[in-house]
Amino acid sequence: MIHLSRALTAAAFLALAASASAQTPAADNPIIAYHGAVLIDGTGAAPRRGTTILVQGERILAIQPDADAMPSSAERVDVSGLHVLPGLIDSHVHIATPPNADKAHVHMRRWLYSGVTAVRGMADDLRSVGELARQARVGEVPSPDIYYAALMAGEGFFNDPRTRAVTAGEIPGRTPWMQAITTETDLPLAVAMARGTSASGIKIYADLPAERIAAVTAEAHRQGLPVWTHAMVYPATPQEVIDAGPDVISHACILAHQAQAPADRPQSYASRTPIDRAPFLNGDNPLVQGLLNQMRDKGIVLDATVWVYADQERAVSDRPGARQPICSGPMVFALTRQAYRTGVAIAAGTDGETPEADPWPALLEEMELLQNAVGMTPGDVIVAATATAARTLNQEADMGTLAAGKLANMIFVAGDPSADVANLRRLVFTVKRGQRFERADFAPARD
């Protein structure tokens, strides 16, 4: 039996936190004026010099030229010459597989002090993630805000040892955050239980046929939840996934299955058989092109995750005879480049992390790969990690661009990221919900 009351605990905590925040009148908070910045607003517009951003509480009060009058009571912070842009968003992280709060806190702190103000958790133990999200939201620990998925998959997936790790004490596939979907499933109830975990979306993972994916997607949308899915759900093909109409598709790599002969396509996600690289390295693939055209026209975001495939390839490069990853780095770069040229909205997500002792999280390298290996312009990479990434969270009304009324999630850097996103490593400080975090105060964890 699924214990709905346990799932609702995280929701209750988050609701109480939001209520407490709402009871603090904005007028009781001082106005802070960040004066003299070069504005990169996250829309793709050209940088704008001589900009002042007025912040009150956790929101942006106004964005105006430096020459305009400021409230006499405003606290002025001189940021002359610094570039300001929206806080970064990693659209694909895993933070509790298996749960380890101490380790999670290390990553959460590093994310925030590296300019990341929100992340999208893509299936974990939500008993743990709900508490981490509460801690982040009310400021108990330094962290980006955490938005997360409840997972749905076919029964076969729940033989995966990871599912036991994230449902310990319960039966895999029979919890509100990890549900096995069959033809007998009461989908309205299943989606309602997923909502009860305070999940921001439903992730569809593996071992589901096309008709079940379409049914889950339709019911989730009816109940107001976005749907996030892998590009192939095994056995459902990329074309069948796109036909279902999800909001976000993850992993440019596995779009390549559409170009395989039907007999060669794996029927289970566990296959992990490397895909032949050749059809994707010498120009645009026509079968993948058809998928990308539909994604563009339907407004489906591609969470490309180029970093994780580059990292997997590095991991086996010095191990002769090691099994190759399902896609190579150059193959994923080529597929993502084709999506970019087609006009598909691309979000910056990592699906992995650098070692804890590294001073920077993987998102910085993800963005550099999108610029240098995929060929996106620096401005478009910034949009991928801000405005488009906010779409993956269904939070574009509050974050992703800098505008009056939005959350004061901002980063200030000494170089110009619109010329080279490597300048994000010259971060001076992060502002998250109006609170400032100085990069100089950060020290990475020790090995």
Side-chain angles (χ1 to χ4, degrees), residues 421-440:
V421 296
N423 283 320
L424 291 168
R425 296 179 188 265
R426 300 175 65 189
L427 179 71
V428 178
F429 63 88
T430 300
V431 177
K432 185 232 173 174
R433 291 183 176 266
Q435 183 177 356
R436 195 155 68 223
F437 299 86
E438 303 285 344
R439 175 67 185 181

Side-chain angles (χ1 to χ4, degrees), residues 202-224:
I202 288 176
K203 178 177 180 178
I204 297 175
Y205 191 77
D207 290 342
L208 283 176
E211 62 272 14
R212 287 287 88 194
I213 297 170
V216 169
T217 301
E219 181 56 34
H221 285 165
R222 189 187 72 80
Q223 294 193 36

Side-chain angles (χ1 to χ4, degrees), residues 41-396:
D41 66 7
T43 67
R48 197 163 80 228
R49 294 187 174 276
T51 302
T52 295
I53 301 178
L54 301 177
V55 172
Q56 187 171 33
E58 65 177 20
R59 300 265 168 190
I60 296 172
L61 187 64
I63 299 176
Q64 62 187 45
D66 286 341
D68 286 4
M70 293 188 297
S72 59
S73 62
E75 173 193 343
R76 176 169 161 160
V77 178
D78 186 2
V79 291
S80 297
L82 298 184
H83 288 72
V84 59
L85 58 156
L88 305 178
I89 300 169
D90 190 332
S91 64
H92 200 128
V93 306
H94 294 276
I95 194 171
T97 302
N100 183 327
D102 290 340
K103 184 174 181 178
H105 288 158
V106 169
H107 288 295
M108 291 156 67
R109 178 181 176 84
R110 184 177 62 169
W111 282 331
L112 185 60
Y113 278 94
S114 299
V116 182
T117 54
V119 297
R120 185 174 69 132
M122 291 299 285
D124 290 290
D125 189 332
L126 297 194
R127 295 169 297 185
S128 174
V129 175
E131 172 61 9
L132 296 173
R134 185 198 66 81
Q135 292 173 342
R137 178 63 183 82
V138 302
E140 287 184 2
V141 297
S143 172
D145 286 340
I146 301 170
Y147 301 85
Y148 50 87
L151 183 142
M152 295 185 180
E155 287 186 299
F157 170 65
F158 293 95
N159 295 318
D160 188 307
R162 293 173 297 174
T163 66
R164 294 192 290 276
V166 298
T167 59
E170 304 291 344
I171 299 174
R174 299 187 187 179
T175 70
W177 62 95
M178 287 266 164
Q179 296 189 60
I181 303 300
T182 73
T183 55
E184 305 303 315
T185 300
D186 181 337
L187 285 180
L189 178 59
V191 172
M193 288 191 296
R195 291 179 63 204
T197 68
S198 290
S200 298
I202 288 176
K203 178 177 180 178
I204 297 175
Y205 191 77
D207 290 342
L208 283 176
E211 62 272 14
R212 287 287 88 194
I213 297 170
V216 169
T217 301
E219 181 56 34
H221 285 165
R222 189 187 72 80
Q223 294 193 36
L225 274 184
V227 173
W228 310 328
T229 177
H230 274 201
M232 183 163 172
V233 179
Y234 309 96
T237 65
Q239 180 62 69
E240 291 169 332
V241 169
I242 291 170
D243 287 343
D247 301 277
V248 185
I249 285 177
S250 291
H251 307 309
C253 160
I254 52 180
L255 289 169
H257 285 305
Q258 194 66 40
Q260 294 179 293
D264 294 335
R265 290 182 194 135
Q267 296 300 295
S268 168
Y269 81 99
S271 166
R272 313 304 297 170
T273 301
I275 301 172
D276 180 16
R277 278 67 164 147
F280 311 98
L281 297 178
N282 297 305
D284 293 349
N285 182 278
L287 291 173
V288 171
Q289 187 62 52
L291 301 178
L292 297 174
N293 292 342
Q294 294 169 66
M295 289 180 66
R296 176 199 60 210
D297 295 345
K298 291 184 174 186
I300 299 172
V301 176
L302 175 62
D303 167 33
T305 65
V306 299
W307 179 87
V308 72
Y309 294 100
D311 187 61
Q312 288 172 0
E313 191 166 47
R314 282 193 296 261
V316 301
S317 62
D318 59 352
R319 293 162 49 200
R323 184 176 183 178
Q324 295 300 302
I326 186 172
C327 294
S328 68
M331 177 182 169
V332 175
F333 303 152
L335 288 163
T336 306
R337 186 180 309 119
Q338 186 175 350
Y340 175 57
R341 287 199 297 255
T342 301
V344 175
I346 295 171
T350 55
D351 195 21
E353 225 4 301
T354 54
E356 292 176 7
D358 193 304
W360 299 98
L363 182 61
L364 276 293
E365 187 175 349
E366 173 80 16
M367 296 178 71
E368 290 161 359
L369 288 170
L370 289 173
Q371 174 186 277
N372 301 326
V374 174
M376 295 173 64
T377 68
D380 287 343
V381 175
I382 291 169
V383 171
T386 56
T388 304
R391 282 176 58 190
T392 71
L393 304 176
N394 201 29
Q395 295 294 318
E396 60 266 44

